[in-house]
Amino acid sequence: MATGETGFDDVGYDLISVQYHALKAGHDYGQYVRDAENAGKREIADFFRRVMEEDSARAKQCHEFLKELATSGDAGPALT
């Protein structure tokens, strides 16, 4: 698998990027839930909770894929 100058292959970098953005968004969604609850918009707060759960699951799946890449030897030196 080809690696860039950082030692990360494209797939590893992509997974890390998706994981980072999912985790960062999850942090922001907590505020969105509070905002909706404070506005009395329970349905919207529930929507933000679902989105937060989906991003949490997405980040976890990225983590699992990264572990697989690290143990397969296909990830380049940055993940092994």
Side-chain angles (χ1 to χ4, degrees):
M1 208 175 270
T3 60
E5 292 179 20
T6 62
F8 285 88
D9 69 283
D10 290 342
V11 173
Y13 177 87
D14 296 345
L15 286 167
I16 290 168
S17 180
V18 169
Q19 184 181 41
Y20 167 79
H21 289 287
L23 291 170
K24 183 172 183 331
H27 180 272
D28 296 338
Y29 296 146
Q31 183 61 51
Y32 302 167
V33 168
R34 288 187 295 279
D35 290 346
E37 287 175 340
N38 290 339
K41 304 294 185 183
R42 181 167 174 78
E43 185 176 357
I44 295 171
D46 289 343
F47 165 75
F48 288 133
R49 281 189 193 90
R50 286 192 307 274
V51 171
M52 189 169 21
E53 289 171 4
E54 290 167 3
D55 269 345
S56 178
R58 190 170 294 111
K60 183 177 180 176
Q61 183 64 63
C62 286
H63 183 75
E64 294 302 317
F65 283 138
L66 287 165
K67 286 193 319 189
E68 288 176 23
L69 285 176
T71 59
S72 72
D74 290 335
L79 291 179
T80 57

